[in-house]
Amino acid sequence: MIRFWGIVLGIFSICLLPVAVVGGDIVHADDGTPKGPGCSNNFVLVKVQTWINNKEDHEFVGVGARFGTPMQSKEKHANRTKVSLADPPDCCSPPTKEVVGDVLLVHRGNCKFTTKAKVAQAAGASAILIINNRKELYKMVCDPNETDLHIGIPAVMLPKDAGASLEGSLQSGVPVAVQLYSPDRPLVDTAEVFLWLMAVGTILCASFWSACSARAASIEHEKLLKDGPEDFSEIENTGSSGVVDINTTSAVLFVVIASCFLILLYKFMSFWFVEILVVLFCIGGVEGLQTCLVALLSRWFKHAGESFVKVPFLGAVSYLTLAVSPFCVIFAVIWAIYRRVYFAWIGQDILGIALIITVLQIVHVPNLKVGTVLLGCAFLYDIFWVFVSKALFHESVMIVVARGDNSGEDGVPMLLKIPRMFDPWGGYSIIGFGDILLPGLLIAFALRYDWAAKKRLRDGYFLWSMLAYGSGLLVTYVALNMMDGHGQPALLYIVPFTLGTFLALGRKRRELGVLWSKGEPDRTCPHAQPPQPAQPAH
């Protein structure tokens, strides 16, 4: 059962999110929209802090226009300003009421955005808030024939629900004021540092567990050979218990299944679809957490771990597993119920890390050939669904699925995330399971090979593969910040670092052939008879 759900959830996690994303893009360069004199601002998200009847109220988020005065980046430099409702509401003609110094709240439609801004500026307004006719934000641009604009007030688009809330307060006669500013996102947030440590630490733990299990199986294998040489051929054909070796065909199928499942998520993303994913994640998380806890606690409760009882439908189950399972189930259920609260990310990360470690313990890459095919296909898959899919679907399919758009949820559960604690925009730094699982399969293989070949740390492949993975993930976050928070395909950077390092070292050490095909060093059979020296003729 553990193996089954580990593999199933491992496939789901690979299908879903091999991409690193942060919560909320702040700056949108968007070179596809016209720029010109007076119309060259970057699109930035704007905080709209409100005061209703002189009491601090909701904070809304809008988007700044291509034209107008750039937004203040510091809250202390932004003034609290009275809001007035435009009359006429569309602000396509001069307002009938005095609005000097006020922020003018207007409706979208009937004339160009720049026309509304010019009318508001001519009436003496200090800024203009335009209510969109949809809940989403819309980028306000200039027409190609509009040149040399001189709009000296900020223009901000508000989503429909936020604008309706402000309009309702104004129509009821309650005084409304707002403060407009667009704080800069820090270059590096501590969340990214901890997320990097989590990813690297997860692979490190999983690799050592995998290598220890492989070494224990190898020792048992050699012991059986010594005790029963007549059963040599039977033992040779028996794989390691509980381990699944993937091949090149399954590696390619991974990407095909992943693409199909990703399209399915993209097309049918909804609240109920995410609920199904949450249930599957909880099942996999329970299996993963149970496996990790049993392996850890069996060091202190060896007798309970080695004593078994038959359970209907499950077969023989150890007493330690029976003791641990209720805790794992309760933990997952509590997370599922309270997953929308702020601190739920802790439970999600615990379940996710346990699942990843378990899958890396169960699923093995048998040689470098399979690892190269798997990572190579995942490399192309990641790039296609993050970048190329924009040309086909008019948006990045991978990022839309990662954010959980149209689901009412804060993203799908198959990812590790940490809140951006020092970011004024909040949100989360996240990394998909696939960005850890896929490179982790190759790195775990490297450590198993090193131990089987009795290589020293510096002479093996694990250390350098681990350093390469850490460097690739670091470059991913550098690119993420350079792109102003736009989602990046992490495997675009991780695969060349990790796989390239492995291949280069193998070729330099002239071991590439063994790594590529066999995946393990040559072993001498303990029962093989050494050649006898020739007897001298008498």
Side-chain angles (χ1 to χ4, degrees), residues 380-402:
L380 298 174
Y381 162 83
D382 214 359
I383 294 172
F384 180 85
W385 289 112
V386 174
F387 292 140
V388 182
S389 63
K390 290 181 181 179
L392 301 175
F393 300 91
H394 307 293
E395 57 187 348
S396 175
V397 172
M398 183 76 76
I399 294 175
V400 168
V401 171

Side-chain angles (χ1 to χ4, degrees), residues 206-429:
S207 297
F208 274 96
W209 188 10
S210 177
C212 287
S213 299
R215 183 161 64 179
S218 178
I219 292 172
E220 184 67 21
H221 181 81
E222 292 178 0
K223 181 181 177 182
L224 290 173
L225 286 177
K226 290 179 181 179
D227 294 343
E230 66 279 358
D231 297 328
F232 174 74
S233 60
E234 183 180 344
I235 296 170
E236 279 291 308
N237 294 326
T238 304
S240 299
S241 176
V243 171
V244 177
D245 285 338
I246 60 176
N247 53 35
T248 52
T249 303
S250 59
V252 175
L253 282 176
F254 254 15
V255 177
V256 175
I257 295 171
S259 297
C260 295
F261 194 70
L262 194 66
I263 293 174
L264 189 66
L265 275 177
Y266 174 73
K267 291 294 185 181
F268 300 101
M269 178 67 74
S270 65
F271 171 78
W272 292 110
F273 212 118
V274 174
E275 290 296 307
I276 294 172
L277 293 179
V278 168
V279 172
L280 291 173
F281 174 71
C282 286
I283 294 172
V286 168
E287 295 285 1
L289 188 59
Q290 172 188 288
T291 303
C292 293
L293 288 177
V294 168
L296 185 65
L297 294 175
S298 60
R299 293 177 174 269
W300 293 277
F301 304 96
K302 190 173 182 180
H303 179 71
E306 295 176 350
S307 301
F308 293 86
V309 62
K310 284 191 175 182
V311 178
F313 306 108
L314 298 179
V317 179
S318 70
Y319 286 102
L320 186 57
T321 301
L322 288 177
V324 167
S325 295
F327 167 77
C328 298
V329 172
I330 292 171
F331 186 90
V333 169
I334 291 175
W335 171 81
I337 294 172
Y338 296 100
R339 68 182 185 277
R340 295 180 183 86
V341 302
Y342 175 75
F343 54 82
W345 63 271
I346 300 173
Q348 181 171 328
D349 288 351
I350 291 172
L351 292 171
I353 289 172
L355 174 58
I356 292 170
I357 291 175
T358 301
V359 173
L360 288 176
Q361 168 68 9
I362 294 170
V363 182
H364 284 185
V365 167
N367 53 50
L368 188 53
K369 177 183 178 181
V370 174
T372 301
V373 172
L374 179 63
L375 288 181
C377 290
F379 174 78
L380 298 174
Y381 162 83
D382 214 359
I383 294 172
F384 180 85
W385 289 112
V386 174
F387 292 140
V388 182
S389 63
K390 290 181 181 179
L392 301 175
F393 300 91
H394 307 293
E395 57 187 348
S396 175
V397 172
M398 183 76 76
I399 294 175
V400 168
V401 171
R403 289 196 306 244
D405 290 5
N406 304 321
S407 68
E409 297 277 345
D410 187 18
V412 293
M414 280 75 169
L415 47 82
L416 303 184
K417 64 181 185 178
I418 297 180
R420 298 176 64 87
M421 292 170 282
F422 298 102
D423 190 334
W425 289 100
Y428 292 88
S429 288

